[in-house]
Amino acid sequence: GENVEQHPSTLSVQEGDSAVIKCTYSDSASNYFPWYKQELGKRPQLIIDIRSNVGEKKDQRIAVTLNKTAKHFSLHITETQPEDSAVYFCAASKAAGNKLTFGGGTRVLVKP
Amino acid sequence: EPEVTQTPSHQVTQMGQEVILRCVPISNHLYFYWYRQILGQKVEFLVSFYNNEISEKSEIFDDQFSVERPDGSNFTLKIRSTKLEDSAMYFCASRETGQVYKNIQYFGAGTRLSVL
């Protein structure tokens, strides 16, 4: 089955700097890659997703890139702010409605 | 904004007891999921449910687990005889039906199950 690895497990950045989280997946049939943000005690919320027919997607300060050949995708957060502090999960699926296989999560701390 | 609601937020039970975790999916959603996260480990898929039947289940979802949609709003996960290793955060998720490639999964805040 699918396996998703996520790095780093923790990331500390200075406010205003960029943060990058990387994920690799094993199943070449996966074609949907969402990113969820989970603040302490709250629900995981989708922040951005990408499908395999696209190499990059951007939404304000957040961007995701996908390299299908290498089977990896990355989350980029620019101009980080304290409210970006949270745990971020990457996931992979064969379609948006099918089961998600998650990475291990990255705890991001943005220091003011 | 509509949300997936899970109750209780924390459930403590004795080993061997039955527990029922409850979820109220978003009202126009028809696909439902349960995931769990053991402390320090990845979020794992348990089961998906559509049209009153299981669509897919993982190897974790053995005979001790069952799911049910008892009425038009609730979606439940039952563990018949809890084990210590069932202690985890359990997440419910739901999505609309229709075009699979356009529908995302919305998650509840989770129920933390502690088996003593």
Side-chain angles (χ1 to χ4, degrees), chain B residues 18-35:
Chain B
E18 174 184 287
V19 294
I20 297 176
L21 308 183
R22 302 182 191 279
C23 171
V24 178
I26 295 173
S27 62
N28 64 332
H29 288 190
L30 295 176
Y31 242 115
F32 314 119
Y33 306 82
W34 284 101
Y35 294 83

Side-chain angles (χ1 to χ4, degrees), chain A residues 30-49:
Chain A
S30 290
N31 56 18
Y32 174 68
F33 307 94
W35 286 88
Y36 285 85
K37 174 184 179 183
Q38 186 178 27
E39 297 175 51
L40 192 64
K42 297 189 177 179
R43 71 194 65 243
Q45 291 197 297
L46 182 80
I47 54 171
I48 196 167
D49 57 10

Side-chain angles (χ1 to χ4, degrees), chain A residues 55-96:
Chain A
E56 183 174 358
K57 184 176 178 181
K58 191 172 181 181
D59 183 3
Q60 298 182 347
R61 296 187 296 108
I62 294 173
V64 58
T65 58
L66 170 65
N67 183 325
K68 283 193 299 182
T69 304
K71 294 206 281 288
H72 68 70
F73 56 112
S74 300
L75 178 73
H76 304 253
I77 307 173
T78 58
E79 300 171 23
T80 52
Q81 300 167 4
E83 52 264 39
D84 294 328
S85 295
V87 178
Y88 292 81
F89 293 97
C90 65
S93 170
K94 290 188 176 64

Side-chain angles (χ1 to χ4, degrees), chain B residues 9-106:
Chain B
S9 57
H10 190 192
Q11 173 88 48
V12 181
T13 189
Q14 295 291 324
M15 190 169 57
Q17 294 296 304
E18 174 184 287
V19 294
I20 297 176
L21 308 183
R22 302 182 191 279
C23 171
V24 178
I26 295 173
S27 62
N28 64 332
H29 288 190
L30 295 176
Y31 242 115
F32 314 119
Y33 306 82
W34 284 101
Y35 294 83
R36 79 171 186 189
Q37 185 179 29
I38 295 171
L39 191 63
Q41 297 185 23
K42 294 180 179 181
V43 176
E44 303 171 290
F45 168 78
L46 292 178
V47 66
S48 59
F49 189 87
Y50 171 70
N51 200 25
N52 284 321
E53 60 183 26
I54 291 173
S55 305
E56 187 175 2
K57 60 182 180 179
S58 71
E59 59 274 13
I60 302 168
F61 194 87
D62 61 21
D63 291 344
Q64 290 298 312
F65 292 88
S66 63
V67 289
E68 191 179 30
R69 188 151 163 82
D71 53 43
S73 60
N74 289 285
F75 178 53
T76 62
L77 174 69
K78 182 192 290 186
I79 309 174
R80 288 189 181 80
S81 178
T82 50
K83 308 184 190 80
L84 294 175
E85 54 265 37
D86 292 328
S87 295
M89 178 72 89
Y90 288 79
F91 291 105
C92 174
S94 70
R95 73 165 178 92
E96 298 180 68
T97 55
Q99 297 180 29
V100 167
Y101 292 94
K102 290 190 176 181
N103 292 316
I104 64 173
Q105 295 181 30
Y106 294 84

